[in-house]
Amino acid sequence: MIDFTEKNVQNDRERLQSLLDAAREKPGSTVVIPPGVYTLTSPLARQTMQSAIFGEYGENPENEMFRPNFPFTIGLSLNGHQGTRVEAYGVTLMVDGFMEPVSMDHCSGVTLSGLTIDHLRKPYSRGLIESCERLSPSEKNGSLTVRFADAFPVSERTIMPRYCVYDFHTHRFQLDMKMTGREFLGDQRFRLHMTRMPVEDLTGQEFYIWHSFHFRPAILLEEASDLTLRDVTIHSQPGMGIVGHHCEDILLERLRIIPSHGEHLSTNTDATHFVSCKGKLIFRGCSFKGHGDDATNVHTFYHDLQLLGASTVQGSVSVKTHSLKPDYPDAGDEMQLVDKKTLLPLKSYRVLSVEKNETHYTAALDAPLPPDSPERCYLANLTRSPAVIFENCTAENHWARSVLLKCRSAVIQNCLFRGSVLQAIHIAAEGWWHEGIACENIIIRGNRFVDCGLTGHASVGGVKAEMAVDSPSGTPQKHILIENNLFDLPGVPHAVSISNAEDVTLRGNVYLRCSKPVEIHDCLSVKNEDE
């Protein structure tokens, strides 16, 4: 047991890190942090926040901040830890600035319990709509006058790359308006010129603006194994909540990525995002709310390749990973050659050896590749596809999908999905994001889907399985079971949409307020017992 008795340093970040450093030298240690609010900050973190919010990186700061060589602060590091248990019940890390608050990289057997992460100045701004004016009663063009709360300082330079209204009547985000201009009126007030305004008067509703998209996550899991996050809460982050890259065996138990009291936004983009992991990825009793993209996205990448020999390839990913580190296979991994246009699998190979650098890798495979494979094919890592369990979880009022899967095994059960903008569960390899692979062995049972899918944004509210590519073909997604779910989705025509899949079973589901509950096309071996 290591107590929090270090007193010879001057700030919370140094005190906490010194405690963790001592535990790293004694594998299997338990670190107990006394309850309290601890500040994590640095001059760089504060300057990054100010530069982002007030436009020094442009209207979309992601273009500057989300790149490998952008400097950033790590709040607390668990690099190299073996078997450490961090007990942090009643502990809040109050972040002052934009940083990566916790890094769990190159470690194993680490358990983090009870911790809360929030921001002194949130990475968004919240205001109240004082007036809502239209050019004429019948037009959708007009303006909103918004006064932002004093806790969210704004000026004429404040950026607004994304914005929304939080509707107190529906408890959902209003997404359709488009800003055509803005005037700073002083005293924390803006007049925002809008088109596509809703019919109802928005006076008295909350208005939110984001100040960032992708940046560093609140918690990074990288090159790590056997990790447990239990009773961890993330209230805000100028990026994703948790990013896991190249990890093995992760348990997220009672994780909460939700707004803090009195707020309706949490993380600015995905709540969680897992790339090229393996083993088990378990979400148990987790809560997600108010985040700016998916509750979770689990995938590996489609790699571009060059032939250096008949069975030797140079591989790389043409899109950024969310850890901003290269993606690569390990010796022994199984790689699948897929067609770029359809994402149909062609052949599998075993990796014999790998050499890595900062931008690409060189891999020797156990058989030669077709000479034209660089032009017409990708390589995808089948080994780096975890078995996902997502159970007894809740996802409410957020952008995009709740669960986005590109993996070989998943069970989603006994969950509540309410108020996602798009379909709650999306089973889809996505060619334009270079995210795969085609899914197999997916079980979706005992869930409730309520008010998911917004009119004009989605035609499906519950479960959508597809190959998201320009030329979908065949049935690369296989073995999908959807049973004993309740779908109450008045805002969209379809509860379930399945395409390009084989061995699909629907049974025991209840569909309420859906005009055409099930849509199926280009599939083989479908058993719809709900008809």
Side-chain angles (χ1 to χ4, degrees):
M1 179 75 69
I2 299 176
D3 294 320
F4 191 75
T5 56
E6 180 61 59
K7 301 294 185 182
N8 64 348
V9 287
Q10 299 301 310
N11 62 63
D12 290 342
R13 182 175 160 225
E14 290 182 359
R15 294 170 69 199
L16 293 170
Q17 189 60 56
S18 68
L19 192 66
L20 296 177
D21 290 346
R24 183 182 57 208
E25 303 307 312
K26 298 178 181 179
S29 296
T30 296
V31 176
V32 178
I33 303 176
V37 178
Y38 300 86
T39 300
L40 294 186
T41 190
S42 73
L44 174 60
R46 294 191 296 272
Q47 183 59 55
T48 300
M49 177 183 68
Q50 291 294 316
S51 297
I53 291 177
F54 295 111
E56 292 184 28
Y57 301 143
E59 188 67 13
N60 181 0
E62 178 180 316
N63 298 330
E64 179 69 16
M65 296 165 59
F66 190 56
R67 53 185 178 85
N69 59 350
F70 185 84
F72 66 94
T73 297
I74 294 176
L76 300 177
S77 173
L78 285 151
N79 177 282
H81 279 247
Q82 305 292 320
T84 302
R85 298 179 60 87
V86 180
E87 300 288 344
Y89 286 94
V91 172
T92 296
L93 299 181
M94 190 61 70
V95 181
D96 183 8
F98 285 6
M99 65 162 67
E100 182 177 291
V102 177
S103 181
M104 299 172 67
D105 65 302
H106 297 83
C107 57
S108 66
V110 174
T111 298
L112 176 61
S113 300
L115 183 69
T116 295
I117 297 173
D118 204 355
H119 284 72
L120 187 65
R121 200 284 187 217
K122 305 279 191 181
Y124 58 81
S125 292
R126 170 178 50 81
L128 199 67
I129 299 175
E130 296 182 330
S131 66
C132 176
E133 302 175 357
R134 285 176 173 79
L135 297 181
S136 72
S138 61
E139 290 193 40
K140 294 186 177 181
N141 300 329
S143 65
L144 305 175
T145 299
V146 179
R147 189 193 188 284
F148 288 93
D150 292 339
F152 306 91
V154 296
S155 76
E156 69 280 357
R157 297 185 293 114
T158 299
I159 63 169
M160 302 184 184
R162 181 190 276 177
Y163 41 83
C164 75
V165 172
Y166 179 80
D167 190 326
F168 286 110
H169 304 297
T170 63
H171 304 288
R172 296 185 70 172
F173 296 134
Q174 207 287 339
L175 307 170
D176 292 330
M177 290 187 294
K178 181 178 180 181
M179 189 183 301
T180 58
R182 63 191 189 227
E183 303 167 53
F184 183 62
L185 305 177
D187 190 29
Q188 290 282 99
R189 296 168 72 243
F190 272 93
R191 180 176 292 114
L192 308 174
H193 299 277
M194 295 290 189
T195 187
R196 301 204 296 256
M197 295 177 68
V199 174
E200 62 269 20
D201 184 1
L202 297 176
T203 301
Q205 305 281 37
E206 285 184 341
F207 192 88
Y208 284 89
I209 55 176
W210 280 252
H211 299 307
S212 67
F213 294 116
H214 294 320
F215 178 51
R216 305 305 304 177
I219 301 176
L220 175 69
L221 315 177
E222 185 178 19
E223 298 286 356
S225 62
D226 190 19
L227 303 178
T228 299
L229 275 65
R230 181 175 291 118
D231 300 319
V232 169
T233 299
I234 300 172
H235 285 314
S236 57
Q237 179 66 14
M240 295 183 173
I242 296 174
V243 166
H245 188 193
H246 228 263
C247 293
E248 181 174 0
D249 291 328
I250 298 170
L251 171 61
L252 306 173
E253 192 167 54
R254 298 187 299 276
L255 170 71
R256 301 192 312 154
I257 300 183
I258 61 173
S260 55
H261 180 71
E263 303 293 332
H264 294 105
L265 294 187
S266 57
T267 60
N268 282 15
T269 52
D270 294 17
T272 69
H273 196 115
F274 294 92
V275 181
S276 299
C277 295
K278 66 180 183 179
K280 291 183 178 180
L281 172 58
I282 301 174
F283 300 79
R284 183 173 293 140
C286 302
S287 300
F288 305 96
K289 190 173 185 179
H291 39 96
D293 212 323
D294 310 319
T296 195
N297 183 355
V298 182
H299 65 91
T300 187
F301 280 111
Y302 290 121
H303 294 191
D304 292 312
L305 64 131
Q306 299 179 33
L307 289 181
L308 303 181
S311 57
T312 303
V313 300
Q314 178 178 292
S316 62
V317 179
S318 61
V319 295
K320 295 176 181 177
T321 67
H322 288 286
S323 68
L324 292 175
K325 298 291 180 62
D327 194 60
Y328 57 88
D330 292 320
D333 285 357
E334 183 182 1
M335 302 289 282
Q336 186 179 76
L337 194 68
V338 302
D339 184 275
K340 286 183 179 181
K341 293 182 179 180
T342 64
L343 303 183
L344 281 169
L346 302 174
K347 187 177 179 179
S348 293
Y349 300 83
R350 188 69 59 183
V351 178
L352 301 179
S353 63
V354 180
E355 295 181 5
K356 300 172 287 186
N357 67 25
E358 293 183 356
T359 60
H360 62 268
Y361 63 87
T362 300
L365 306 180
D366 65 349
L369 285 81
D372 63 346
S373 55
E375 291 77 29
R376 66 182 186 91
C377 300
Y378 296 126
L379 277 173
N381 194 334
L382 298 186
T383 301
R384 286 283 167 183
S385 177
V388 178
I389 298 175
F390 195 93
E391 61 184 4
N392 302 317
C393 297
T394 301
E396 301 180 84
N397 183 41
H398 64 91
W399 253 254
R401 293 72 51 105
S402 297
V403 178
L404 175 55
L405 292 178
K406 301 121 181 185
C407 61
R408 283 305 170 93
S409 172
V411 177
I412 304 171
Q413 61 186 0
N414 305 326
C415 297
L416 169 64
F417 301 103
R418 179 166 54 198
S420 60
V421 172
L422 303 180
Q423 58 274 3
I425 298 175
H426 198 184
I427 302 164
E430 295 183 306
W432 42 81
W433 293 115
H434 290 245
E435 294 179 3
I437 48 181
C439 291
E440 297 184 5
N441 305 308
I442 308 298
I443 298 173
I444 300 168
R445 64 187 174 203
N447 305 289
R448 289 180 293 156
F449 301 83
V450 181
D451 290 332
C452 297
L454 281 181
T455 303
H457 294 268
S459 62
V460 182
V463 179
K464 185 175 184 178
E466 65 172 340
M467 294 299 291
V469 67
D470 292 338
S471 303
S473 178
T475 56
Q477 309 219 81
K478 304 181 188 300
H479 316 310
I480 300 172
L481 172 62
I482 303 171
E483 66 176 355
N484 300 330
N485 302 283
L486 171 65
F487 298 92
D488 185 4
L489 304 168
V492 292
H494 307 301
V496 176
S497 177
I498 310 289
S499 61
N500 298 107
E502 182 176 348
D503 184 22
V504 178
T505 300
L506 296 95
R507 64 187 177 215
N509 300 292
V510 176
Y511 307 96
L512 305 177
R513 299 188 291 173
C514 301
S515 59
K516 186 181 178 183
V518 179
E519 175 187 61
I520 296 176
H521 57 87
D522 298 322
C523 292
L524 295 175
S525 301
V526 176
K527 297 179 183 178
N528 186 0
E529 300 177 15
D530 297 333
E531 288 183 329

